[in-house]
Structures are given as C-alpha cells and as structure tokens.
Amino acid sequence: MASKISPTDLLRSTDKNRSPRASGRVTLSDVAQSVGVSAMTVSRALRGERRVDPKLVAQIQAAAQRMGYVPDPAARALASQKSSQVLVLVPLLSNTLFVDLIESIHRVLFAAGYHALIGVTHYDRSEEEQLLHTYLPLRPAGLLLTGFDHSPAARELLASSKIPCVHMMELSAETDAPHPAQEAMSSTPCVGFSQTQAGAAITRHLLERGHRRIGFCAGQLDARVMQRAAGWRAELEQQGLYEPSLEILSPQPTSMALGAELLAQALQRRPDMDALFFCNDDIAQGALLEALRRGIPVPERLAIVGFNDLPGSDQMLPPLTTVRTPRGAIGAESAQMLLSLMQGKPVAQPRLDLGYTLVVRQSS
Amino acid sequence: MASKISPTDLLRSTDKNRSPRASGRVTLSDVAQSVGVSAMTVSRALRGERRVDPKLVAQIQAAAQRMGYVPDPAARALASQKSSQVLVLVPLLSNTLFVDLIESIHRVLFAAGYHALIGVTHYDRSEEEQLLHTYLPLRPAGLLLTGFDHSPAARELLASSKIPCVHMMELSAETDAPHPAQEAMSSTPCVGFSQTQAGAAITRHLLERGHRRIGFCAGQLDARVMQRAAGWRAELEQQGLYEPSLEILSPQPTSMALGAELLAQALQRRPDMDALFFCNDDIAQGALLEALRRGIPVPERLAIVGFNDLPGSDQMLPPLTTVRTPRGAIGAESAQMLLSLMQGKPVAQPRLDLGYTLVVRQSS
DNA sequence: CTGTTAGCGCTTTCAA
DNA sequence: TTGAAAGCGCTAACAG
C-alpha cells in the first residue's frame, strides 16, 4: 500500500505551507493523505460508491470520523452540478396544513441526506415564478411543488431545468374536475387526493342528514378550493338543489374573522340556508363562533362543516364536522417519491392517491 | 478597448470546444468576452464593487441581462467561503408567532439577495445542535437564532464558526431574569423584548382589575415561558399574593386542548382562582372555550388572559385580553441587523428592545 | 481602475 | 479497483 504522494499533498501536509485561501477545514485530501490513498478513493468510499475495497472503506470512514471531515456542499455542488437541497414551494405557512406537510417532508429528506429549502408563494403564480428564478440556480436536487397551478414561464423553467419534481396535494387528470393543463401533466408525478371527491363526500353527508339548502363559503379561491366547490356543486346538481345564490365566495385569505363575515353574508342572502360547507377549518371555526354570538343553534338551525381538520376544530362548540386530509402522509410519500426520482429509480405509482377521511362531529 | 483574449476564452467561444463538463450555463467569462473585459471586472461590476468604471458597469450589466447570465451560488460559495444563505432556526412552525417572524425575515433578506434556510428545533437543544452540525458546512453568511438556550456544544460550534449571528425574541442580560450564560452574551446582538416585563405587565393589569388569586398556566416550558412566569411571580410576590399552588405547568406543547385541561386543573386545585394568565394565546383560547362549555362567566367569575395576540383571539367569546408581541418587527430588525453584521458595518443598537403592547379585550 | 494568477474542495473523465 | 489530471464557475490576492 505504498502511496504516491502528490506535490499538492505534500504542500498541505505542513500547516505553514497552506495556501492563503484555504479555509482551514479538513479536506478530502487531508483524509486521503492520512490513509495513504488518493482523494478520489476517499470521495468514492465516503459516498458509498461500489468498486472500492471494503477494507479501505472502513479505514477511510474511520479516518474521516477521527479527523472530523465534513464534505463541503459548495464544492460538491460545483463539481457535480447538483446540490443536496430540495426546493419545497408551499402557498402559505399560516395554514397548519402546510406546516404538517413540511415537517414530514423534512423528516424524510433529512434522513436521506437532503435539505429542504422552503419557499412561500402566497398563492401567487408570479411569486412562485420569481422563487423558481432565484432558487433554481442553486441547482436543487429535486422539487416539491404544491398544486399544478403554475404560470407558463414557470412551467418553462421547470421543464428546461430537468430537475425531478413531484406535485403535492392534488392529483393530475381528474376526470371530474377538468384542469386547464390536464393533458400535459397526466404523467406528472403527484401525491394527494381528490379535492373534488372530498368536497362531494362531505356534501353528501349533509344531504344524508336531511339538509337541503347547503351553501358553500370560501375565501382564498385557489385551484383546490374551487375543486372542492365543484364537488359540492355536482352533488347539489344531482339532487336538483343547486342554486348560484348558495355560493358565497370571497377573494380574501381565510381567517376566523372571514368566517364570521361569510356566515353573516350567507344568512342575509339566503335566510333559509340550513347548512354551510366552509372551504377550510379556520373560517368554519370563525363561523361557529359567530353562530354562538348570534345564538343560532348548530346544527339544529344551521349545520356547519369545514375542511382539513385543523387544530382546534375538535375543541369548538359544538365540535366541528370536517374532512381530515392526509397531509403528513402526502409530505412523506412525496419526499419518498422524489428520492426515487432523484436516484433514477422507477416509481411504482407516479400518481398516488392517499384519500381523505370524513370526521363527523357535532356541528352537523 | 482592445482586449486580450485568453486561450480559455477562445476555447469557450466555440460551442463545439466546450469542455465536456461544462454545465451549459452562461458564465462570467462568457459575459466578459462579449464585453471585452476580464472575468474579474465582470465579477466586480455585477457585485456592485466600487472601483469599476461606471460606463463599464452599465455595459456589463446590459450584456449580463441580454445573455441571461445568472451567477452560480455554488461556485461563489466555494471561492468566497460564504454562501448567500442565512440559517434561521425557530422552535416550531405551528405557532403563528414564528411564521410571522419568518415571513418578515424572508422579506428583508430576500430583498438584499440572501436566502433564508429554515430549520426547526422543536424546542430541543440537541436537535438544534444537529441542525447546526449539518447546516454550518453550507457556510451560511449569517445566523438568526431564536432565544439563547443552546447546548454547550452548539455554543462551541457557533463561536468557532465565526459567522455573524443575531438572537431573536428575547434580550440578553436581563437583570430581572438571571440567565445561565448571561455574562457571556451581554454583548451578543439580539432583537426582542423583555418577556419578563411583558409577563409582569399583564399581571399588573389583572391586579388593577381587582383580581387577587391569579394563576399562571403554561405548556411548552421553554426559557421564554419561564421568563413570563418570573414576571408574573414577581408582581404577585410584591403584593404578597404569590402561592405555589397558583402555578399550573405542563411539559406538553401548547394547544387548545391543553388549555381546556389546564383550566380544569386550575379550578380543581384552587376553586377560588379568580384570574388565569396563560403563557400563549392558543391555550388561552382553549381555556375560554372550556369556560364556555362549563358555563363559567368570563371575566366576571374568572378572568382569562393570554400572550402573543394570535389570530382568532379577537374572535373568541369573549374576545381575549393578551399581550401583542412585535414578531414582525423583530424579524425585520433582526434581519437588518444581521445584514449590517455580515457587511462588517457597526450596529448602533446591538441589543434592540422592541417592546410589547397590552391588548385589553373583554376577557379580563 | 483593471487584469493575471491561482486556487476554493470536490468529482468527472479517462487511463492504468 | 484505483489514480492522475482537469476542471466546475467564481473570487481573493496581488500586481500594474
């Protein structure tokens, strides 16, 4: 195992002789030198590439550990043209939904040696585009995006970057909710559930409970909210119960205050309303409190249901009936799918439906 | 403006001759060549370094724009030993407080060309340590940490990294709340407010309202919560009203459900309790709902106050009295301070107190 | 004010 | 299975 020591290595061996630009960190060649192999071998060994003598691998790992070697992500990214970061774009952080999503993504990616770089789009296509513009040059190893609603320029960026990408929270090519760019993404990897079907399911629940004038109240009119609306509407139409005046929409972001306001609007417009389906639990909670303030018996006079099963919904008066969405699982499975894609492995189910659960409490 | 074109540049000029490793992106030398200057000049011009002919700067910027040049962060990080990322560590994302903090940090840093890399510690010193271990090698340009509660090893890492760092949400060297490592950090840059004083202030408010048996209920017993407790306790002691049984603490994370539980515990232990100070609005909200369920008149029979002024607190029945904390401003000012530190500029107020506001609503 | 030189620390490529 | 050479794209450190 007589080793040839390159001039550079010799230079490095003496601390005095280190280049003035050296950062002082332990490098690959430091480890290589100490073991008596080339830097290349250390690089391969540490990355777990095959075709390295197992004995050497053990020795190298021990040395790296002992010397406190930590790979330099910048150097690695520069040389290999890809970083260990995964860009994760979500619309908001103020909805627990996305926090849960991020937490489970982080857990899976972190364990696999990747870092989640989080970007917030505020439900704005141009903000998303700008984020892609600034973050794509970081050469993320993968992308995790919320929904399919991108600007054309963003689509372009994504396509030309050729970076593996998984879409979260909704499914491509839903036959019951035609999507503008449906065709283009029928093969796009995605993990989620049918927002439309979930919206339809909770509407059916209300119908089964005997409600007939079921309103839909929503803020933050993003694509997924509109899919829920479509599910609600389809069920009502099927029963011949749909009327435009049952739809109370506001472009404002959802909040408890907005819930109170929409409840008021709904009852003013349709005093005969006997149930309300809110697009998200936070506005439903606000509506529940407003009903309490107004002395409206829930669910006797008016049933109220929400969506997502957020914290606090079980604490309301009465506890809120809602749809539990599997965001934790969506995050984990998306990350897992992305890991496969990044490794070039085939993905068994590139369109993964994780379903939803109706949670019936006392508000309906 | 006759330019010397280096051999490498000539090589690059012909697409056929590009190295097999080239990434295809437009590089600094591409721009340099097109303008007829050296890569170094382009580098300086684009980074806005002084000592470059303004005319050249304009020309170079135009060329970069036209050619679609985007700097490579990895190459930049490798050469300069610092990335454009700022590591931001927060305990949680499920508390709106930290989301607000992050949003404003992001806004300030992004505008200055930096990216926020967010890490979540879950109030766990060893998790924080691990995050530092894995993220410090990314050579972040700066650090933004929540609180001062680090493990010794983490302190070591921070100190030896020599990366500029600002602590958020609490202030160093509070004379009224001795901190374990107080001395060491009396000069540490920090932006926040006195948690102790804020806790004392809302307690005084309750005392002024005539309450005498004021309990303190808390979950998630982190350093800042305990500082609020200290403020509460000091006020009570001053009036000779402090008793250990008034303190109801739980190690569990705060939530509305925990609020309900702690209210129950408090009333069981001290049926004569006439006011409760909850360490965070979410548990206070849960307590308010529990009071409603139990038919306890608030504030007549029992006053309830919270902390942070989170969304929904104004929607409660009755609306919650609380302390509004300036997390948006804290995020913005911390980021601003960090920018100064990163540029080596002196910081006028390295210990910035942004105060707090008592928000008196109907629950007290 | 501008350019030259020499790396930053790693990995691709190719040769042994 | 291992190694040598040659960069990745940029900037620090001098010169001029």
Side-chain angles (χ1 to χ4, degrees):
Chain A
M1 206 126 300
S3 56
K4 292 167 191 161
I5 294 176
S6 79
T8 343
D9 284 354
L10 271 175
L11 203 63
R12 287 242 173 69
S13 65
T14 324
D15 261 32
K16 316 259 180 202
N17 289 342
R18 293 191 89 113
S19 134
R21 295 194 61 182
S23 60
R25 63 160 64 201
V26 180
T27 71
L28 219 42
S29 355
D30 292 335
V31 179
Q33 198 184 220
S34 109
V35 179
V37 293
S38 77
M40 211 37 243
T41 302
V42 177
S43 169
R44 289 199 263 250
L46 258 24
R47 273 177 303 149
E49 251 192 32
R50 260 183 286 284
R51 341 180 263 179
V52 179
D53 184 345
K55 285 179 199 165
L56 260 187
V57 173
Q59 251 186 88
I60 289 170
Q61 282 174 338
Q65 176 81 40
R66 173 168 43 77
M67 303 174 69
Y69 169 74
V70 184
D72 183 329
R76 183 171 272 180
L78 182 58
S80 69
Q81 305 287 7
K82 66 180 47 167
S83 76
S84 59
Q85 299 198 317
V86 167
L87 180 58
V88 182
L89 259 32
V90 295
L92 276 184
L93 289 178
S94 51
N95 188 336
T96 319
L97 171 69
F98 298 113
V99 171
D100 293 345
L101 193 67
I102 287 172
E103 289 268 351
S104 51
I105 288 170
H106 171 81
R107 205 168 304 122
V108 173
L109 291 182
F110 201 82
Y114 290 94
H115 311 316
L117 179 60
I118 292 149
V120 179
T121 67
H122 301 102
Y123 288 107
D124 182 332
R125 287 162 40 132
S126 67
E127 269 198 63
E128 181 181 63
E129 197 180 308
Q130 201 203 344
L131 287 172
L132 289 173
H133 248 112
T134 58
Y135 287 136
L136 251 21
L138 292 175
R139 304 172 190 288
L143 300 174
L144 249 20
L145 306 183
T146 307
F148 292 106
D149 189 28
H150 315 301
S151 71
R155 275 173 208 292
E156 188 62 39
L157 279 171
L158 292 173
S160 64
S161 79
K162 284 169 193 157
I163 298 173
C165 175
V166 174
H167 292 257
M168 307 179 291
M169 296 309 295
E170 43 182 311
L171 299 174
S172 55
E174 290 192 354
T175 48
D176 51 349
H179 193 283
Q182 190 181 110
E183 315 75 11
M185 51 195 35
S186 50
S187 64
T188 307
C190 57
V191 181
F193 62 94
S194 167
Q195 302 271 349
T196 313
Q197 283 174 32
I202 197 159
T203 305
R204 275 199 304 281
H205 160 75
L206 289 170
L207 287 168
E208 283 161 14
R209 283 279 204 267
H211 299 284
R212 285 299 168 264
R213 291 168 303 281
I214 304 172
F216 179 78
C217 296
Q220 185 49 64
L221 310 173
D222 62 272
R224 286 174 299 286
V225 165
M226 296 324 283
Q227 288 162 32
R228 287 166 217 161
W232 158 80
R233 181 172 172 161
E235 289 299 321
L236 289 201
E237 279 175 339
Q238 200 177 309
Q239 307 292 324
L241 295 171
Y242 174 76
E243 294 170 56
S245 62
L246 292 171
E247 206 161 38
I248 292 95
L249 304 181
S250 160
Q252 290 175 59
T254 64
S255 69
M256 290 177 74
L258 182 64
E261 199 181 303
L262 292 187
L263 177 85
Q265 271 185 40
L267 290 181
Q268 189 180 7
R269 211 200 287 180
R270 293 286 308 244
D272 61 339
M273 198 81 85
D274 62 10
L276 287 175
F277 168 19
F278 286 85
C279 71
N280 196 45
D281 271 14
D282 60 350
I283 51 172
Q285 290 175 11
L288 233 27
L289 289 172
E290 177 67 12
L292 216 50
R293 274 191 288 269
R294 292 176 171 232
I296 301 171
V298 174
E300 296 76 14
R301 160 71 183 80
L302 181 71
I304 290 180
V305 303
F307 200 94
N308 277 330
D309 195 22
L310 301 183
S313 287
D314 59 341
Q315 296 293 312
M316 288 292 124
L317 268 76
L320 182 68
T321 291
T322 186
V323 173
R324 181 171 300 147
T325 52
R327 59 261 191 184
I330 292 176
E333 293 294 336
S334 301
Q336 206 62 62
M337 190 180 287
L338 185 65
L339 286 174
S340 296
L341 289 170
M342 294 188 309
Q343 292 164 24
K345 283 196 279 187
V347 172
Q349 285 240 37
R351 182 179 178 283
L352 188 56
D353 185 349
L354 260 25
Y356 53 86
T357 317
L358 195 60
V359 179
V360 179
R361 299 204 182 96
Q362 286 79 63
S363 71
S364 67
Chain B
M1 203 127 304
S3 55
K4 292 167 194 164
I5 294 173
S6 80
T8 342
D9 285 353
L10 272 175
L11 204 65
R12 288 243 172 70
S13 65
T14 326
D15 261 31
K16 316 260 180 201
N17 290 342
R18 292 192 89 111
S19 134
R21 295 193 61 183
S23 61
R25 66 159 62 200
V26 179
T27 72
L28 218 45
S29 353
D30 292 335
V31 178
Q33 198 185 218
S34 110
V35 179
V37 293
S38 77
M40 207 44 235
T41 302
V42 177
S43 170
R44 288 198 264 247
L46 258 23
R47 274 178 301 150
E49 249 192 34
R50 261 184 283 283
R51 333 183 270 180
V52 179
D53 185 345
K55 284 179 197 165
L56 261 187
V57 174
Q59 251 185 90
I60 289 169
Q61 282 174 338
Q65 176 80 39
R66 174 167 41 79
M67 302 174 71
Y69 170 74
V70 184
D72 184 328
R76 182 172 273 182
L78 182 58
S80 69
Q81 304 287 8
K82 64 180 49 168
S83 76
S84 59
Q85 298 198 318
V86 167
L87 180 58
V88 182
L89 259 32
V90 295
L92 277 183
L93 289 178
S94 51
N95 188 335
T96 319
L97 172 69
F98 298 113
V99 171
D100 294 345
L101 193 67
I102 287 172
E103 290 268 351
S104 51
I105 289 170
H106 171 81
R107 203 168 305 122
V108 173
L109 291 182
F110 201 83
Y114 290 94
H115 311 318
L117 180 60
I118 292 151
V120 179
T121 66
H122 302 104
Y123 288 106
D124 181 332
R125 288 163 38 131
S126 67
E127 269 198 62
E128 181 182 63
E129 197 180 309
Q130 201 203 345
L131 287 172
L132 288 173
H133 248 112
T134 58
Y135 288 136
L136 251 21
L138 292 174
R139 304 172 190 286
L143 300 174
L144 249 18
L145 306 183
T146 307
F148 291 105
D149 190 27
H150 317 300
S151 72
R155 274 172 209 293
E156 189 62 40
L157 279 172
L158 292 173
S160 64
S161 78
K162 284 169 193 158
I163 298 174
C165 174
V166 174
H167 292 256
M168 306 180 291
M169 295 309 296
E170 45 182 310
L171 299 175
S172 56
E174 288 190 356
T175 47
D176 50 350
H179 191 284
Q182 189 182 111
E183 317 74 15
M185 52 195 34
S186 50
S187 64
T188 307
C190 58
V191 181
F193 61 94
S194 167
Q195 303 270 347
T196 313
Q197 284 175 31
I202 197 158
T203 305
R204 274 198 304 280
H205 160 76
L206 289 170
L207 287 168
E208 284 162 13
R209 282 279 204 267
H211 300 283
R212 285 298 168 265
R213 291 168 303 281
I214 304 173
F216 179 78
C217 295
Q220 184 48 64
L221 310 173
D222 62 273
R224 286 174 299 288
V225 165
M226 296 325 284
Q227 288 163 30
R228 286 166 218 161
W232 159 81
R233 181 173 172 160
E235 289 298 320
L236 289 200
E237 279 176 339
Q238 200 177 311
Q239 306 292 323
L241 295 171
Y242 174 75
E243 293 171 54
S245 63
L246 292 171
E247 206 161 37
I248 291 96
L249 305 181
S250 161
Q252 291 174 59
T254 64
S255 69
M256 289 177 73
L258 181 64
E261 200 181 300
L262 292 188
L263 177 85
Q265 270 187 41
L267 290 181
Q268 190 180 7
R269 211 198 289 178
R270 292 288 308 247
D272 61 339
M273 197 82 85
D274 61 13
L276 287 175
F277 168 20
F278 286 85
C279 71
N280 195 45
D281 271 13
D282 61 350
I283 51 172
Q285 290 174 12
L288 233 25
L289 290 171
E290 178 66 12
L292 216 50
R293 275 191 289 270
R294 293 177 168 231
I296 301 172
V298 174
E300 295 75 15
R301 159 73 182 82
L302 182 72
I304 290 180
V305 302
F307 201 93
N308 277 331
D309 194 23
L310 300 183
S313 287
D314 58 341
Q315 297 292 312
M316 289 292 123
L317 269 76
L320 182 67
T321 291
T322 185
V323 173
R324 180 171 301 147
T325 52
R327 58 262 193 186
I330 292 175
E333 293 293 336
S334 301
Q336 206 64 60
M337 190 181 286
L338 185 65
L339 287 174
S340 295
L341 289 171
M342 295 188 308
Q343 293 163 24
K345 283 195 279 186
V347 172
Q349 285 240 36
R351 182 179 178 282
L352 188 56
D353 185 349
L354 260 25
Y356 53 86
T357 317
L358 194 60
V359 179
V360 179
R361 298 202 182 95
Q362 286 79 61
S363 71
S364 67

